[in-house]
Amino acid sequence: MAEDVADPGVGAGSATHSGLVVVGGGPAGVAAALMAASVGTRVTLIEAAERVGGKPWHIDALENVPGGWRTGPALAGAMAQDIARLTATGRCMAVRGRAVRVTAPHGAERARVTLDDGRAYTGDAVVVATGVESLEATDVAWVDVPDGMTVPQLWRTGPRLTHALVLGADRPLGTWLRAHPEADARLEVLYPPADAYKTAELAGDPRVQLHEVREVRVVPVSGGGGAPGHEVRAHLADGTTGTFAPHQLLVNAGSRPAAPEGSLHRDAHGYCPPDAQPPGLHTAGDLRSPRHQRITTAHGSGAAAALTAHYPPPSGP
Ligand SMILES: Cc1cc2nc3c(=O)[nH]c(=O)nc-3n(C[C@H](O)[C@H](O)[C@H](O)COP(=O)(O)OP(=O)(O)OC[C@H]3O[C@@H](n4cnc5c(N)ncnc54)[C@H](O)[C@@H]3O)c2cc1C
């Protein structure tokens, strides 16, 4: 339990009443909680991780964030402090827990969030801001990995890369290169045709070698100088094949929405657009769409969701 997320001490299966329940304590959820409290709404903020702050805790170099923020942990720490201050005023209760189900208000029933340990929290409305989760190598159709093998995520690694093979050309690669300009690394990036548009910002960096591929197979091998016990065999887009024996194997293959089950409306890709939700449920941040995944838009959409929940929609003619 982190200092910023208090356990309310509520037993399994019990329900706590609150004006607005916010699920997810990243930029979107924090903004929703702050905005709701500013208009006098009592807030319950539910966060699965040890600390409030979300993805920014793991982003070494930030771009596009007004206010002069250059590193994610500095911003995440500031958000955690904002919630700690709000909690101290009594206008917000911060709960450590993982939401597994969110249901819309129905008849006399209020909106409800159920956690994986059975606790439940109800409110007049719920803002869901659970963001996206990284795809594992086993989730990706163009990659075949041995059963039981876990490939580490590029975006969670520090500067200590030497010769790494990266599966996928998603945005965190550009972030890693910007964050570690002095790192003397050699990164061979295997990416599917669908990722080709993401490679423009990588192509000028001499540390990166790009290989468009059709499919990739990670094969156990004995001995050799590559990643312990594995080599990577690729069918390249130009019709040739290639074998790689990197020191490190990392995955950087994108993400998918991380919405709890229940009443949220999802599009064909699992995202939860705000304007498609049932009354009483609101979505914010990365969960809305793959096209709006920035900290500033997460903040804005979280604040907007809290205000939408607070002010009733205009009545019809
Ligand atoms: C490597 C990398 C670099 C980036 N660089 C930038 C950048 O330079 N500039 C920029 O603007 N954006 C950047 N982004 C994007 C930015 O991080 C996101 O757009 C932003 O964090 C989205 O905020 P969010 O609140 O929607 O989601 P998140 O930050 O993902 O927060 C979601 C929160 O919900 C919690 N949660 C998830 N599921 C549950 C659950 N079931 N129950 C309870 N809690 C749950 C999570 O623990 C997390 O704290 C980057 C992202 C990555 C991965």
Side-chain angles (χ1 to χ4, degrees), residues 11-91:
S14 61
T16 300
H17 294 266
S18 163
L20 181 70
V21 183
V22 177
V23 185
V30 166
L34 294 171
M35 183 59 84
S38 79
V39 292
T41 301
R42 192 160 171 266
V43 183
T44 301
L45 174 64
I46 298 170
E47 167 55 50
E50 283 188 4
R51 303 181 286 194
V52 163
K55 288 255 168 23
W57 280 115
H58 306 283
I59 304 173
D60 293 334
L62 278 187
E63 278 190 331
N64 312 318
V65 184
W69 300 100
R70 290 285 172 266
T71 76
L75 175 61
M79 289 191 287
Q81 284 176 13
D82 280 343
I83 293 300
R85 275 193 290 271
L86 199 59
T87 304
T89 67
R91 288 183 288 164

Side-chain angles (χ1 to χ4, degrees), residues 24 26-28 47-48 54-55 59 62-63 97 99 130 175 285-286 293-295:
E47 167 55 50
K55 288 255 168 23
I59 304 173
L62 278 187
E63 278 190 331
T130 44
T175 302
D286 284 5
Q293 298 187 349
R294 296 288 187 281
I295 288 166

Side-chain angles (χ1 to χ4, degrees), residues 2-304:
E3 65 276 14
D4 301 308
V5 182
D7 188 328
V10 179
S14 61
T16 300
H17 294 266
S18 163
L20 181 70
V21 183
V22 177
V23 185
V30 166
L34 294 171
M35 183 59 84
S38 79
V39 292
T41 301
R42 192 160 171 266
V43 183
T44 301
L45 174 64
I46 298 170
E47 167 55 50
E50 283 188 4
R51 303 181 286 194
V52 163
K55 288 255 168 23
W57 280 115
H58 306 283
I59 304 173
D60 293 334
L62 278 187
E63 278 190 331
N64 312 318
V65 184
W69 300 100
R70 290 285 172 266
T71 76
L75 175 61
M79 289 191 287
Q81 284 176 13
D82 280 343
I83 293 300
R85 275 193 290 271
L86 199 59
T87 304
T89 67
R91 288 183 288 164
C92 176
M93 179 171 69
V95 175
R96 171 97 190 269
R98 177 165 292 279
V100 290
R101 189 169 178 79
V102 175
T103 51
H106 184 68
E109 290 283 313
R110 287 150 57 94
R112 173 177 285 259
V113 177
T114 308
L115 308 192
D116 60 1
D117 60 8
R119 285 178 290 170
Y121 296 85
T122 61
D124 301 318
V126 177
V127 172
V128 183
T130 44
V132 293
E133 59 192 12
S134 302
L135 292 174
E136 303 295 336
T138 46
D139 297 324
V140 183
W142 56 275
V143 175
D144 182 15
V145 292
D147 285 347
M149 180 179 178
T150 303
V151 181
Q153 295 286 338
L154 169 80
W155 72 279
R156 288 182 176 274
T157 62
R160 289 196 190 168
L161 291 182
T162 51
H163 175 203
L165 188 77
V166 181
L167 301 174
D170 203 38
R171 280 185 62 223
L173 185 52
T175 302
W176 189 92
L177 293 166
R178 282 195 305 276
H180 306 298
E182 309 303 328
D184 184 19
R186 181 173 155 226
L187 304 179
E188 294 193 90
V189 181
L190 307 187
Y191 65 93
D195 275 5
Y197 75 97
K198 300 175 184 172
T199 60
E201 66 170 306
L202 314 171
D205 195 309
R207 297 170 292 177
V208 175
Q209 291 175 319
L210 295 164
H211 307 276
E212 188 171 318
V213 298
R214 300 283 174 224
E215 58 184 16
V216 162
R217 202 161 153 233
V218 181
V219 183
V221 291
S222 51
H230 294 94
E231 68 180 22
V232 177
R233 298 175 191 163
H235 283 278
L236 300 166
D238 62 8
T240 61
T241 56
T243 300
F244 301 84
H247 292 127
Q248 289 155 288
L249 180 62
L250 300 164
V251 64
N252 177 45
S255 54
R256 65 177 164 215
E261 296 300 316
S263 313
L264 284 173
H265 176 81
R266 293 151 208 262
D267 68 16
H269 305 285
Y271 287 93
C272 303
D275 55 7
Q277 301 310 320
L281 296 192
H282 307 269
T283 56
D286 284 5
L287 185 63
R288 293 167 299 158
S289 155
R291 289 177 296 170
H292 303 127
Q293 298 187 349
R294 296 288 187 281
I295 288 166
T296 299
T297 68
H299 277 144
S301 65

